[in-house]
Amino acid sequence: MIYLRLFCIFLLIFLISGLKIVAQTRSQIFELDEIKFQEAIKKSPNLLNKNDWVFLKKSADDSMDSGQFSKAVEYSKKSVILAEKLKDNLLKARSFHTLGRSYQSLEDVEKAYTNYNDSLSTYELLDRSEEILIEVN
């Protein structure tokens, strides 16, 4: 009986340490530059998920709110890459929109225009015109 308790304790410790490693790996992935980020999610396709996209999108929005527009571009680019990996066009359209806003704040009109167009094109694939109106407002 005592061996079973010890085994359970060791198993619990092992699982908790494994979760810490995954969390640490995720935070390290978010800090990679765009190319290395793309390589990392190709090597570990199941590591990141929709919750991670939400984190990247929120980080981009928070960076915009605090005036860190270059950082917002970085997070937005990563959210586009992750949305593509997840094969989720709605997330992809929203990511392009945020990337367009980020470039607009940096006064890079060409890149803003390109990303806004990419966002609209992706929304049109979904036939979700009501989403377009919400994002623009």
Side-chain angles (χ1 to χ4, degrees):
M1 187 69 154
I2 208 159
Y3 292 115
L4 181 60
R5 286 184 183 175
L6 286 174
F7 175 76
C8 289
I9 290 170
F10 285 122
L11 182 62
L12 185 61
I13 291 170
F14 175 75
L15 291 174
I16 290 172
S17 64
L19 291 175
K20 286 180 183 177
I21 290 170
V22 169
Q24 184 180 13
T25 303
R26 279 190 168 142
S27 64
Q28 289 171 343
I29 287 175
F30 294 142
E31 297 306 316
L32 295 173
D33 66 45
E34 181 184 347
I35 293 170
K36 289 181 180 174
F37 177 80
Q38 202 162 13
E39 290 171 2
I41 62 174
K42 281 182 184 176
K43 288 179 183 175
S44 303
N46 297 322
L47 182 62
L48 301 179
N49 57 41
K50 189 172 179 176
N51 291 331
D52 297 309
W53 178 88
V54 171
F55 171 81
L56 289 169
K57 174 79 167 68
K58 182 174 177 355
S59 297
D61 290 339
D62 291 347
S63 297
M64 290 279 295
D65 293 344
S66 65
Q68 297 176 314
F69 305 125
S70 296
K71 196 73 173 164
V73 166
E74 287 178 38
Y75 283 121
S76 297
K77 285 181 177 181
K78 291 173 185 175
S79 72
V80 169
I81 293 167
L82 184 54
E84 288 173 344
K85 179 226 168 230
L86 296 171
K87 296 180 173 98
D88 190 321
N89 282 333
L90 179 58
L91 301 183
K92 187 175 169 183
R94 289 178 176 168
S95 297
F96 277 130
H97 183 266
T98 304
L99 188 53
R101 282 185 31 236
S102 302
Y103 280 123
Q104 183 178 0
S105 298
L106 288 170
E107 299 179 2
D108 190 334
V109 178
E110 286 182 36
K111 288 182 180 176
Y113 177 79
T114 299
N115 284 284
Y116 282 138
N117 274 338
D118 289 343
S119 177
L120 286 172
S121 298
T122 308
Y123 274 124
E124 287 172 356
L125 291 173
L126 299 169
D127 190 33
R128 295 178 70 130
S129 54
E130 73 277 0
E131 294 272 349
I132 296 169
L133 293 174
I134 293 169
E135 287 283 348
V136 169
N137 291 328

